[in-house]
Amino acid sequence: EPETQTAVAAVDILHRLGNSKGRALIDVPSLKFTERFQPELLTPLTLGVVANVQGEISGAGRIDWDSSDNGIKSTGSFRTNGLNLAAAFGPVTGLAGEIKFSDLLALETGPGQTVTLSEVNPGVAVFNGQIRYRLLPDYKMQVEGGEWPFAGGKLYLEPTILDLGEDAERRLQFTVEGVDAAQFLTQFDFENMTASGVFDGKLPMVFDQDGGRIVGGYLVAREGGGSLAYVGELTYEDMGTMANFAFNALKSVKYRNLTIGMDGDIAGEI
C-alpha cells in the first residue's frame, strides 16, 4: 500500500504467451489493521460500513484466465480470529470466521458464510452471537439470519438484503423471544427497578449517515403476567394519605398484560 508502505500481499503471476493462459496467486500471510492502516486504504467499499478496525486477517486468492469464452475465474478464502470494529449498528468485538469467495474480483460468495461475534452493542449489549450471510453481485449483502442468547431468551436478526455500495438507509429487524424481565432491566442499569415476567417482541432498527435508531419497537408480556416494583427511595415530602398510598403502590405492582414500547437513538437515549 503506497501511502503507509504496508505489505498487503505477495503476488505470483504466470502468463503463457503461446496460448494466452495465465494465473495469479495472491498470498496474504498476515495483514494487520491499525489506527494508521485502515481498510479504506485498500477499497472504498468499507467507507460508511466499518471504521476503527483493529485486528489481523490472512488468506489466499487465485485468478485464472485464458482465451476461451470462460474468460476470467477467481476464488479466494480469507479468515480472522478476531476483529474489533465500529459498524453502523454499533461497536463489534471479537468478530471471527472465514469467508470463501466464489468470485474474488466481484466480491461474491456462496450461501452459508458465517461469522461469530463476541459482543455487539446496537443500543443493548449482546454476546456470543452468530450471523449467516452471502455476498451478492453489485456489492449487496444477503443477511440469512443471526442469533444471540439474550437476557434468558433469544435475539434473532431477521433475513434482509443490505446495499454496501451506496450511502443508503439500511434497515434491520431483530426479534426477541423469551426475554426475562429482570435480566433485561439489568442491561439498562435501572438500579431502583425490579421486575418479573417473560417477553417477546420486535426491534426494528434504521441506520443511515446520522447513526442508528429503534423505530416502533415493542415487547409484550407472555400470558401469566408478572410484577414491577420500585425499590428506591422516594424523594418527596408527605403529601397526604392518598398520595402516600399511590407511591407505596409502586413498590409492588402485579400485572396481567404489559406492552413496552421502545424508540430512540441507539447512541443516545432509548
Side-chain angles (χ1 to χ4, degrees), residues 169-172 204-208 211-215:
E169 181 181 86
R170 302 181 179 96
R171 291 179 176 268
L172 297 175
M205 294 189 179
V206 179
F207 303 94
D208 54 27
R213 58 194 181 277
I214 298 175
V215 179

Side-chain angles (χ1 to χ4, degrees), residues 205-266:
M205 294 189 179
V206 179
F207 303 94
D208 54 27
Q209 62 271 18
D210 297 323
R213 58 194 181 277
I214 298 175
V215 179
Y218 63 88
L219 299 174
V220 179
R222 289 184 177 179
E223 186 177 352
S227 64
L228 292 169
Y230 178 79
V231 295
E233 293 294 326
L234 295 176
T235 55
Y236 69 98
E237 295 182 3
D238 191 303
M239 293 185 292
T241 302
M242 295 310 296
N244 291 336
F245 176 81
F247 276 107
N248 286 326
L250 291 175
K251 296 179 180 180
S252 180
V253 177
K254 294 180 180 179
Y255 65 85
R256 287 189 299 271
N257 304 290
L258 179 64
T259 298
I260 302 174
M262 297 187 70
D263 288 275
D265 184 352
I266 64 174

Side-chain angles (χ1 to χ4, degrees), residues 3 13 17 28 30 32 39 54-55 70 77 112 125 129 148 156 161 164 166 188 193 197 200 222 225 266:
E3 184 176 327
I13 300 174
L17 299 177
V28 183
S30 175
K32 295 180 180 180
Q54 302 286 329
N70 293 330
S77 178
W148 291 262
Y156 297 97
I161 293 179
L164 304 180
E166 297 182 0
F188 296 96
M193 291 286 291
D200 306 303
R222 289 184 177 179
I266 64 174

Side-chain angles (χ1 to χ4, degrees), residues 127-195:
F127 304 90
N128 302 319
Q130 182 183 83
I131 295 177
R132 302 176 305 281
Y133 69 97
R134 179 181 187 179
L135 297 183
L136 301 174
D138 301 321
Y139 308 122
K140 289 183 171 58
M141 176 179 175
Q142 179 182 4
V143 177
E144 297 173 346
E147 182 178 329
W148 291 262
F150 180 54
K154 291 284 187 179
L155 180 70
Y156 297 97
L157 174 59
E158 300 296 336
T160 188
I161 293 179
L162 303 176
D163 192 336
L164 304 180
E166 297 182 0
D167 187 16
E169 181 181 86
R170 302 181 179 96
R171 291 179 176 268
L172 297 175
Q173 177 156 289
F174 292 88
T175 295
V176 175
E177 288 188 4
V179 165
D180 178 77
Q183 293 186 46
F184 182 72
L185 284 179
T186 63
Q187 299 280 334
F188 296 96
D189 295 325
F190 288 149
E191 297 177 357
N192 293 329
M193 291 286 291
T194 64

Side-chain angles (χ1 to χ4, degrees), residues 16-113:
R16 295 182 175 88
L17 299 177
N19 57 14
S20 296
K21 281 189 175 183
R23 58 101 176 114
L25 305 177
I26 305 167
D27 182 35
V28 183
S30 175
L31 180 60
K32 295 180 180 180
F33 294 110
T34 64
E35 184 176 343
R36 181 168 174 263
F37 181 74
Q38 288 291 293
E40 57 261 30
L41 290 176
L42 300 179
T43 170
L45 290 176
T46 62
L47 284 171
V49 180
V50 296
N52 302 326
V53 180
Q54 302 286 329
E56 180 181 7
I57 65 171
S58 61
R62 181 183 179 107
I63 305 170
D64 293 279
W65 60 86
D66 57 34
S67 58
S68 71
D69 293 336
N70 293 330
I72 300 174
K73 295 181 179 179
S74 61
T75 58
S77 178
F78 297 85
R79 65 201 61 83
T80 178
N81 292 324
L83 290 178
N84 301 333
L85 54 90
F89 49 81
V92 176
T93 303
L95 183 151
E98 181 176 24
I99 181 171
K100 295 182 178 180
F101 290 97
S102 55
D103 188 336
L104 180 61
L105 294 176
L107 297 180
E108 297 175 20
T109 73
Q113 307 293 315

